[in-house]
């Protein structure tokens, strides 16, 4: 059993960490407080080749593996989850185009994302359809050589700043089978009838952009359909192994960032004539945090490696996502506790990490959904 990471990954980790410390950490609090998208940081991330990191080299991307992108996620989230999310989410939705898109679609939509000229998004969830994706009601009706789209999408990352979105629509409401009759369609944000309403007041990752998307008779050409018409839902499900491993990596990074700050504070803060790190109660909190982080990291790396090997790892991906997100929430909670009253205000990063952690148990499938998937796989029941 070989636990060595592939050659070059440690160098990627060091470069990301250096970038985060120099470009993200000094401004993280500002963007969080203002709920402002970090365009300036994104420009610098583009110069580093971090935008569209998983896009193949032939379309201008870095072509990083799932394991490599997981390590990028980990390091960025250890610095600041909000801005880190902006960077890793700049190419949301392009996975479908990479896998199922035509050559024309790949050239038109992947290349500008890889160059940092455009930001993409994936529009799936709706006001009344979150975990139950198959109950979406956004419709795309064929009219000649165009589709006319009507409906709403909710909680969409990059919603008000994205240039195009891969939108999951119902194209055949009479199709047999619960998961048939859905299609993925590329919708550019400058089309008539498209509107984005930015969502403010989020608990965490406030630097990232989230919006409700409104489609009012939005017309798109039929060549914007990604893959096979009517198979969009099943196509979408193929990416969850990789995306859930990605969220697990975010959890590992967030937990590491929170734990490192708690460790540093514990060694500086003195009570009763000594650093609080000398008290066994604090030592145990730190020991448990770093042990849990290491366990989550190994589970995540195993999942990422397996995806890169082409393995189908639905159960493992859900295990990694559920466990790492739980570790992130628990460690962030203990980091605040170690900071005491200082952890309850935004003078220290612990407060921000605590708020940022919770979303990891919600997006890309809630904790409850992950446990359902794990149990289903254990009992040999597939998607039916």
């Amino acid at each position: 059993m070989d636990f060595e990471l592939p050659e070059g990954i440690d160098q990627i980790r060091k470069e990301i960490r250096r970038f985060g410390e120099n470009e993200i950490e000094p401004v993280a609090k500002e963007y969080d407080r203002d709920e402002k998208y970090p365009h300036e940081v994104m420009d610098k991330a583009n110069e580093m080749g971090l935008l569209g990191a998983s896009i193949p080299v032939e379309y201008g991307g870095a072509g990083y593996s799932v394991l490599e992108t997981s390590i990028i996620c980990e390091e960025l989230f250890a610095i600041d989850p909000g801005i880190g999310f902006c960077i890793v989410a700049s190419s949301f939705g392009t996975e479908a185009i990479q896998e199922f898109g035509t050559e024309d679609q790949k050239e038109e939509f992947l290349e500008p994302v890889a160059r940092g000229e455009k930001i993409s998004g994936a529009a799936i969830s709706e006001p009344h359809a979150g975990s139950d994706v198959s109950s979406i009601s956004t419709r795309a009706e064929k009219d000649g050589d165009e589709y006319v789209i009507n409906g709403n999408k909710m909680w969409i990352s990059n919603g008000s700043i994205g240039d195009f979105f891969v939108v999951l629509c119902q194209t055949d409401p009479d199709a047999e089978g619960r998961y048939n009759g859905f299609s993925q369609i590329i919708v550019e944000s400058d089309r008539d009838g498209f509107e984005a309403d930015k969502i403010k007041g989020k608990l965490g990752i406030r630097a990232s952009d989230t919006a409700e998307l409104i489609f009012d008779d939005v017309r798109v050409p039929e060549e914007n359909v990604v893959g096979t018409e009517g198979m969009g839902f099943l196509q979408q499900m193929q990416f969850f192994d990789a995306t859930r491993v990605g969220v697990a990596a975010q959890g590992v990074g967030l937990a590491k960032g929170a734990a490192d700050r708690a460790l540093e504070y514990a060694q500086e803060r003195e009570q009763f004539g000594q650093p609080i790190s000398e008290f066994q109660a604090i030592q145990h909190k730190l020991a448990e945090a770093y042990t849990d982080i290491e366990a989550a990291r190994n589970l995540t790396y195993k999942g990422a490696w397996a995806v890169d090997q082409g393995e189908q790892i639905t159960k493992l991906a859900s295990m990694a996502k559920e466990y790492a997100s739980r570790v992130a929430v628990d460690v962030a909670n203990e980091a605040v506790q170690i900071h005491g009253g200082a952890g309850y205000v935004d003078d220290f990063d612990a407060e921000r990490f605590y708020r940022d952690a919770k979303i990891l148990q919600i997006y890309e499938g809630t904790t409850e959904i992950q446990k359902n998937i794990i149990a289903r796989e254990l009992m040999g029941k597939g998607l039916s």
Side-chain angles (χ1 to χ4, degrees):
M1 184 178 292
D2 184 4
F3 282 95
E4 289 293 325
L5 291 172
E7 185 177 354
I9 285 188
D10 276 342
Q11 184 59 36
I12 293 173
R13 187 193 298 276
K14 290 175 183 177
E15 290 177 2
I16 300 301
R17 189 175 302 164
R18 188 181 307 114
F19 172 80
E21 291 172 348
N22 292 337
E23 306 296 344
I24 298 176
E25 194 167 7
V27 297
K29 190 178 298 183
E30 171 193 345
Y31 283 105
D32 176 74
R33 283 174 171 169
D34 295 342
E35 299 188 48
K36 183 174 64 174
Y37 190 79
H39 289 286
E40 297 84 356
V41 180
M42 296 295 285
D43 289 341
K44 294 174 181 177
N46 183 44
E47 294 172 5
M48 281 279 293
L50 295 178
L51 305 187
S54 64
I55 291 176
V57 174
E58 57 265 37
Y59 300 106
Y64 284 139
S65 67
V66 175
L67 179 57
E68 288 168 329
T69 55
S70 294
I71 288 173
I72 290 172
C73 280
E74 179 183 344
E75 290 303 322
L76 289 172
F77 271 64
I79 297 293
D80 178 61
I83 296 178
F85 182 82
C86 295
I87 293 171
V88 302
S90 65
S91 59
F92 266 13
T94 63
E95 302 88 356
I97 299 173
Q98 291 178 49
E99 183 68 23
F100 301 109
T102 64
E103 191 61 31
D104 286 344
Q105 288 174 342
K106 291 176 182 179
E107 291 177 0
E108 181 178 357
F109 296 105
L110 297 184
E111 292 182 5
V113 171
R115 292 194 298 265
E117 297 169 358
K118 290 187 177 181
I119 294 172
S120 59
I124 303 171
S125 296
E126 298 184 0
H128 302 291
S131 296
D132 184 8
V133 175
S134 64
S135 68
I136 65 167
S137 59
T138 296
R139 290 283 305 277
E141 297 186 41
K142 195 73 180 292
D143 182 20
D145 59 357
E146 293 182 318
Y147 283 90
V148 182
I149 303 175
N150 285 280
N152 294 57
K153 295 293 182 178
M154 181 62 82
W155 315 118
I156 306 306
S157 297
N158 301 330
S160 72
I161 51 96
D163 296 285
F164 67 89
F165 301 86
V166 177
V167 184
L168 187 64
C169 304
Q170 189 180 67
T171 49
D172 184 3
D174 299 322
E176 293 185 5
R178 183 179 179 187
Y179 304 111
N180 296 323
F182 300 94
S183 302
Q184 297 186 92
I185 303 176
I186 301 169
V187 180
E188 298 92 336
S189 59
D190 60 357
R191 290 193 175 272
D192 291 341
F194 176 93
E195 182 183 346
D197 186 11
K198 180 178 174 66
I199 296 170
K200 295 185 177 180
K202 293 187 299 182
L203 175 68
I205 58 168
R206 291 177 174 173
S208 68
D209 182 82
T210 309
E212 177 181 8
L213 305 186
I214 299 141
F215 303 87
D216 183 10
D217 286 339
V218 178
R219 289 182 171 270
V220 297
E222 60 185 358
E223 56 262 31
N224 278 26
V225 173
V226 180
T228 305
E229 180 181 351
M231 299 297 290
F233 180 91
L234 297 174
Q235 292 169 358
Q236 184 69 46
M237 294 301 106
Q238 294 186 34
F239 300 112
F240 278 134
D241 285 355
T243 57
R244 284 170 178 160
V245 167
V247 175
Q250 296 172 17
V252 173
L254 191 152
K256 178 182 181 297
D260 286 350
R261 286 158 174 80
L263 175 60
E264 180 181 3
Y265 182 83
Q267 292 172 318
E268 295 175 351
R269 171 69 167 169
E270 291 192 1
Q271 288 288 277
F272 303 102
Q274 61 181 354
I276 63 172
S277 59
E278 297 297 318
F279 294 103
Q280 188 180 66
I282 300 298
Q283 293 175 354
H284 284 187
K285 288 181 184 295
L286 293 167
E288 290 172 5
Y290 281 95
T291 300
D292 288 344
I293 292 167
E294 188 62 25
R297 179 180 289 116
N298 277 278
L299 186 57
T300 299
Y301 286 8
K302 180 181 180 182
W305 176 86
V307 173
D308 285 332
Q309 303 310 305
E311 298 180 13
Q312 199 273 337
I313 60 155
T314 299
K315 180 178 68 177
L316 179 59
S318 288
M319 286 177 169
K321 198 272 187 187
E322 190 283 324
Y323 183 70
S325 62
R326 174 156 43 102
V327 167
V329 170
D330 290 347
V331 171
N333 177 58
E334 290 291 19
V336 172
Q337 193 71 21
I338 289 171
H339 279 74
Y344 203 69
V345 294
D346 66 2
D347 293 342
F348 291 86
D349 292 343
E351 175 267 351
R352 188 173 74 252
F353 275 73
Y354 180 72
R355 289 187 287 103
D356 288 345
K358 188 59 187 175
I359 191 60
L360 301 176
Q361 294 186 311
I362 298 173
Y363 61 27
E364 288 299 318
T366 64
T367 291
E368 292 76 16
I369 290 294
Q370 302 316 307
K371 291 179 179 179
N372 287 348
I373 292 169
I374 295 165
R376 183 191 71 202
E377 292 293 317
L378 289 172
M379 293 184 285
K381 298 177 181 178
L383 197 65
S384 61

